[in-house]
Amino acid sequence: MFLEVINNQRLASDYYLLVTQSTASAQTRPGQFFHLKIGKKYSYDPLLRRPLSVHKVDRSKGRISFLYRIIGKGTKMLSFYQAGDRIDALGPLGKGFKTDFKNKQILVIGGGMGIAPLYPLVDSLLNSNQVTFLIGGNNQQDLKYFLDFPINSGVIFDAASIDGSIEFKGTVIDLWEKSYSAGFNPDFLFACGPKAMLRRVKLIAEERAIPGQVSLEERMGCGSGVCLSCVCHTNKGNQRVCKEGPVFSLQEVSLE
Amino acid sequence: MKEIDLSTKLGEITLKNPVITASGTCGYGQELEDYMDLEQLGALTVKGITLQAKTGNPVPRIVETPAGILNSIGLENPGLEGFLADKIKIIKGYQLPVFVNISGYSIEDFVLLAEKLAEISCIAALEVNVSCPNIPGGGLAFGTDPELIYQITKQVKAAYPGSVIVKLSPNVTAISDMAIAAQEGGADIISLINTLQGMAIDLERQKPVFANTFGGLSGPAIKPVALRMVYQVAQKIKIPIIGMGGIMTGQDAVEFLLAGASAVAIGTATLIHPDAPLMIIKEIKAYLQDKKINNIQEIIGKVLN
């Protein structure tokens, strides 16, 4: 299938928002990703596809958006795509977040680029649950897009930055611990972000017996489950981030 | 116009077309069923198995290189027992020939695997992997010594009544000597080539990217090397060759056929385009049509002296 570029816009420093038209929007679930072949049809460099998690789905317009950061050759080339260009893509791939909750207190925690895939999740939860959505990043500049993003008024939203350029200075975990843990024991939590952050989330969740899910990132090959490049360890043995993931049970996954 | 005959023979085995999936790039087939009709393939080579289950190497296991991939998967597989319990039933469901790739740490490992798999009738051939670069103390060590290749082949042949393919490593100075050793050991077919050993360094950590230091290079970057080796070996042996190494298109595949391969295997291409093998079959057919050739056998080995 192909994603047609509607807009590919620089947000801040290395951060971009890619809006595409896609027939796959109807079957795309929160937490899933697309695997994009960047470059000309017969170009072998970059050779592999690039996995991008879904940041926003607009079913009425048939649009799927991705947030990405330039970290190498593939994402650099992606940043040159313009409206009207087509991107060869596999997807939606992977298993998404669990979303069948009702009348629950739900905590959603995002760090850095890990914040991006949490928006469709928050969207799908907010009508029948109380959602607290906490995000964190290095500085105000990195978080600007997220801070400006319209959030439903029913969601409790707060942000932290490590350098103190937004009001709460510290990590998103510090924010949770200092401002949102007293008297607040969520029924379920979701997290996406750097491994170090996820490790702390797991530790705290285990202490307080909060069930949850995390979305993992790993160097990926095929995306179809055949190459076994992107495995993680769980109490069920090795699992593939591209196939059984990228969302895993916080209790079952090893983050060492 | 007459229907083009794409069928080819690998010893006793007849394939309806020369396109095979390479081991480790198609799982056990079912992973790719969403993307293609497997029955259109010439044959399927499933992920390599070892006697004991293996959890494989730590991540990262893959690095992209210019027009290539370095991998260090470390043969993650359910072991013989897991294979017999869970995977054989998948293979039984297929009509097409299925090749089972085996790896070991000792000659005894190979022989034990061959003995156990000899009891299973739905396997069309064993592919003996004497060339995995990613398991310490095994694999590659066998593939660089003609005497060991001869011994493994001979003993596997004695234990296994069906067709035996020997998959050779390119990490040697004289590939033909390895192929001759396999032929003398009784191999029915040769697979050429496994990955080329390489490495990558992480600039942040200032350490090798892979925990295992080295990885196996595949993809278009290695195609010229693979092609040269097929061409060299085809002149020295009588048994058929499955050519592989960076085949991305039908044109690439035709080059291998011209160089003397009786069939080709598609690996890295499938990781990028899960239906690549079927596209390649179509492109081979289109090439033959364009050249007004009705039988693929006419081009096999055509550039050999």
Side-chain angles (χ1 to χ4, degrees), chain B residues 43-182:
Chain B
L44 186 73
T45 313
V46 296
K47 172 75 181 169
I49 58 167
T50 49
L51 210 48
Q52 308 299 333
K54 281 179 62 68
T55 53
N57 292 335
V59 292
R61 293 179 170 187
I62 190 165
V63 174
E64 192 177 65
T65 68
I69 301 169
L70 270 171
N71 86 76
S72 177
I73 308 297
L75 275 175
E76 176 177 342
N77 80 92
L80 179 65
E81 213 173 293
F83 178 78
L84 295 175
D86 303 325
K87 307 300 181 187
I88 281 294
K89 53 178 180 273
I90 303 170
I91 295 173
K92 267 197 184 125
Y94 299 132
Q95 302 295 309
L96 83 168
V98 177
F99 303 158
V100 173
N101 181 288
I102 59 169
S103 281
Y105 293 92
S106 64
I107 293 184
E108 292 70 37
D109 279 8
F110 284 103
V111 171
L112 269 166
L113 282 162
E115 279 172 358
K116 291 288 178 197
L117 295 170
E119 297 160 15
I120 296 166
S121 59
C122 61
I123 299 172
L126 286 191
E127 182 177 67
V128 180
N129 181 10
V130 291
S131 45
C132 182
N134 295 332
I135 54 170
L140 190 53
F142 297 120
T144 54
D145 181 342
E147 180 55 30
L148 277 172
I149 291 176
Y150 170 79
Q151 282 301 335
I152 291 172
T153 310
K154 196 175 160 193
Q155 295 192 36
V156 167
K157 268 307 279 182
Y160 188 80
S163 296
V164 170
I165 307 164
V166 177
K167 186 168 184 176
L168 295 178
S169 168
N171 303 302
V172 296
T173 43
I175 189 70
S176 299
D177 293 351
M178 309 300 149
I180 289 166

Side-chain angles (χ1 to χ4, degrees), chain A:
Chain A
M1 63 155 298
F2 286 90
L3 301 170
E4 190 187 327
V5 178
I6 300 292
N7 194 8
N8 188 23
Q9 171 199 347
R10 183 166 166 258
L11 299 173
S13 55
D14 294 338
Y15 295 85
Y16 284 73
L17 175 66
L18 171 68
V19 182
T20 69
Q21 194 76 38
S22 166
T23 52
S25 68
Q27 73 256 33
T28 302
R29 304 280 157 237
Q32 289 190 300
F33 69 96
F34 283 73
H35 214 15
L36 276 56
K37 179 75 177 94
I38 296 159
K40 294 253 177 335
K41 191 173 178 194
Y42 288 106
S43 163
Y44 295 149
D45 195 17
L47 186 61
L48 289 169
R49 290 172 183 271
R50 296 292 189 271
L52 288 187
S53 58
V54 173
H55 165 53
K56 200 177 162 197
V57 181
D58 183 339
R59 294 216 167 89
S60 61
K61 289 187 184 152
R63 286 183 181 176
I64 300 174
S65 305
F66 306 89
L67 261 186
Y68 65 95
R69 187 181 172 191
I70 296 180
I71 46 167
K73 193 159 39 187
T75 40
K76 180 80 198 166
M77 284 174 70
L78 183 60
S79 73
F80 298 139
Y81 276 66
Q82 295 177 349
D85 288 344
R86 280 150 54 89
I87 311 172
D88 172 350
L90 302 178
L93 298 177
K95 299 219 167 40
F97 293 108
K98 175 178 164 68
T99 54
D100 55 341
F101 294 97
K102 239 187 161 66
N103 303 320
K104 299 287 182 201
Q105 287 279 346
I106 294 177
L107 174 63
V108 179
I109 303 173
M113 281 309 280
I115 303 165
L118 297 172
Y119 285 85
L121 171 70
V122 169
D123 268 351
S124 72
L125 293 173
L126 63 89
N127 285 331
S128 31
N129 303 278
Q130 177 57 57
V131 179
T132 302
F133 185 19
L134 306 178
I135 67 168
N138 288 323
N139 53 54
Q140 204 261 349
Q141 187 62 19
D142 280 7
L143 290 172
K144 188 174 183 315
Y145 169 81
F146 299 118
L147 296 171
D148 293 344
F149 197 92
I151 293 273
N152 185 289
S153 58
V155 175
I156 300 165
F157 175 79
D158 207 348
S161 76
I162 291 179
D163 73 346
S165 54
I166 53 175
E167 203 183 309
F168 188 94
K169 185 174 177 180
T171 67
V172 68
I173 306 279
D174 299 335
L175 177 65
W176 174 23
E177 290 281 78
K178 287 192 182 134
S179 309
Y180 292 90
S181 63
F184 172 54
N185 218 9
D187 298 306
F188 203 88
L189 72 78
F190 294 96
C192 184
K195 263 238 171 97
M197 175 198 125
L198 297 181
R199 266 186 223 122
R200 281 193 65 194
V201 168
K202 185 175 160 80
L203 218 66
I204 299 170
E206 271 164 10
E207 275 170 18
R208 301 186 198 162
I210 310 167
Q213 286 188 325
V214 286
S215 178
L216 297 188
E217 192 176 44
E218 192 48 72
R219 275 202 220 208
M220 199 174 279
C222 63
S224 56
V226 298
C227 76
L228 309 183
S229 295
C230 63
V231 298
C232 65
H233 301 300
T234 75
N235 60 8
K236 298 174 190 158
N238 281 1
Q239 303 238 289
R240 299 162 292 186
V241 170
C242 72
K243 201 78 182 174
E244 287 83 29
V247 176
F248 292 94
S249 152
L250 188 56
Q251 284 65 40
E252 290 175 8
V253 75
S254 160
L255 299 168
E256 297 316 309

Side-chain angles (χ1 to χ4, degrees), chain B residues 246-262:
Chain B
I247 297 176
M248 302 293 285
T249 64
Q251 285 77 5
D252 294 337
V254 168
E255 285 188 61
F256 278 83
L257 298 171
L258 288 166
S262 296

Side-chain angles (χ1 to χ4, degrees), chain B residues 171-210:
Chain B
N171 303 302
V172 296
T173 43
I175 189 70
S176 299
D177 293 351
M178 309 300 149
I180 289 166
Q183 178 176 263
E184 283 175 359
D188 301 284
I189 303 153
I190 298 285
S191 274
L192 270 177
I193 60 175
N194 205 323
T195 55
L196 275 160
Q197 207 170 25
M199 79 180 284
I201 290 173
D202 183 330
L203 293 183
E204 292 305 315
R205 293 165 47 242
Q206 301 186 335
K207 282 187 172 150
V209 171
F210 296 132

